Amino acid sequence: MSHLLKSVEDGVMKIVFNRPEAMNALSRDMLAGFQDALTEAAGSRDIGCVVVRGAGDKAFCAGGDVKSMAAGRDQEKTYEDKVHDIRIRMQVSELLHEMGKPTVAMVNGVAAGAGLSIALAADMRFVGKSARMTTAFAKVGFSGDFGSHYFLHKLVGTAKARELYFTAEILNAEQIEKLGLANRVVDDANLESETMAFAKKLAAGPRVAWWHVKKNMKIAEEGTLSEALDSEAARMIRTGETEDHKEAARAFVEKRAPVFKGY
């Protein structure tokens, strides 16, 4: 059985980590398939939103495959080759965060280590009430990867991010929500339906505008106010030229819902 599943429904690509017997820990095959699926979604006009979840109801993703690590794979490789290889695998976080489409992590259980990093890389997180989050890296003597330092400190502040790294505290849904790590906390039974309904609504929206929103957000996160204003000015004019904007303006005047076409 494939370690990664994908399906498309109403413009939403759903990607499923499919190792429930291993808490959806990240195998090499899973990461390769994940990167391929995200690359496909980023480049497809048929996809308007991406949702990522774990198979089963116990885990979103428990992080790296510690059993494989303990077996000592890649010990014959040089330090430089190992760094190159892990950096390539971590491109999934860049794709989730920077593709010109909304991305949503559906956290249905434990998100730990690199699994937490991937959840944080998404634009938004819908979290089940039984969900748990932890950096976990300290427990296995690792420093952390897949962008978790970047995302975590932006979401909770640098002091709290350091605490969560040093202690590897396990956060419950109430704590996750209080820290701002979840956009929505949802009853477990409704997590799938509510997340997919939200994603489909985004996929039916003005996709060109979403692309420019993502670009604006990246500049706002990393640049100066002046750079953010320059980007907003240029992209506001560009989106004003789209057929989607013109349709939305007509719909506003005619007091009806707009029908976006994605151009």
Side-chain angles (χ1 to χ4, degrees), residues 129-173:
K129 288 188 175 178
S130 67
R132 299 292 183 268
M133 289 183 175
T134 176
T135 58
F137 295 110
K139 292 183 177 179
V140 287
F142 273 134
S143 54
D145 55 8
F146 285 80
S148 50
H149 295 85
Y150 179 89
F151 300 119
L152 192 57
H153 97 269
K154 286 183 177 294
L155 287 165
V156 304
T158 186
K160 190 63 179 181
R162 290 168 192 245
E163 177 189 334
L164 293 174
Y165 256 95
F166 293 144
T167 65
E169 178 184 356
I170 299 173
L171 304 173
N172 61 29

Side-chain angles (χ1 to χ4, degrees), residues 41-242:
S44 173
R45 289 186 59 85
D46 296 328
I47 306 301
C49 186
V50 174
V51 170
V52 183
R53 67 160 295 164
D57 57 7
K58 293 183 178 180
F60 171 77
C61 174
D65 189 339
V66 178
K67 289 184 180 179
S68 177
M69 297 173 197
R73 287 184 61 176
D74 300 336
Q75 291 306 306
E76 74 285 357
K77 291 186 176 182
T78 66
Y79 167 81
E80 290 76 15
D81 284 342
K82 292 176 185 177
V83 171
H84 175 267
D85 288 352
I86 193 171
R87 180 63 182 86
I88 293 298
R89 292 194 292 273
M90 288 195 288
Q91 286 177 345
V92 295
S93 293
E94 288 180 289
L95 281 164
L96 267 176
H97 192 62
E98 297 184 4
M99 75 164 70
K101 301 172 185 190
T103 59
V104 184
M106 185 194 308
V107 184
N108 56 309
V110 174
L116 173 63
S117 307
I118 288 169
L120 298 182
D123 294 319
M124 293 158 283
R125 283 150 296 284
F126 276 48
V127 173
K129 288 188 175 178
S130 67
R132 299 292 183 268
M133 289 183 175
T134 176
T135 58
F137 295 110
K139 292 183 177 179
V140 287
F142 273 134
S143 54
D145 55 8
F146 285 80
S148 50
H149 295 85
Y150 179 89
F151 300 119
L152 192 57
H153 97 269
K154 286 183 177 294
L155 287 165
V156 304
T158 186
K160 190 63 179 181
R162 290 168 192 245
E163 177 189 334
L164 293 174
Y165 256 95
F166 293 144
T167 65
E169 178 184 356
I170 299 173
L171 304 173
N172 61 29
E174 182 180 354
Q175 293 169 304
I176 290 165
E177 184 173 35
K178 184 177 180 180
L179 284 171
L181 293 172
N183 293 80
R184 310 264 179 96
V185 173
V186 181
D187 287 336
D188 292 343
N190 300 327
L191 182 61
E192 172 89 14
S193 60
E194 290 197 26
T195 306
M196 291 303 294
F198 180 79
K200 289 176 183 179
K201 184 176 181 179
L202 292 180
R207 296 184 185 180
V208 175
W210 294 165
W211 190 90
H212 287 286
V213 166
K214 293 281 295 254
K215 296 299 183 183
N216 278 336
M217 290 302 301
K218 178 175 172 59
I219 291 169
E221 289 167 351
E222 300 176 6
T224 65
L225 173 59
S226 179
E227 289 168 333
L229 293 172
D230 287 344
S231 179
E232 287 180 348
R235 297 177 191 283
M236 192 71 172
I237 298 302
R238 174 66 190 94
T239 53
E241 295 172 343
T242 63

Side-chain angles (χ1 to χ4, degrees), residues 7-64:
S7 58
V8 178
E9 183 179 340
D10 295 334
V12 178
M13 177 181 284
K14 182 168 70 173
I15 302 172
V16 181
F17 299 138
N18 190 40
R19 296 183 71 203
E21 75 288 350
M23 301 285 282
N24 298 315
L26 297 165
S27 68
R28 297 286 178 89
D29 289 344
M30 180 189 292
L31 280 169
F34 190 31
Q35 183 160 352
D36 288 346
L38 291 173
T39 301
E40 177 188 342
S44 173
R45 289 186 59 85
D46 296 328
I47 306 301
C49 186
V50 174
V51 170
V52 183
R53 67 160 295 164
D57 57 7
K58 293 183 178 180
F60 171 77
C61 174

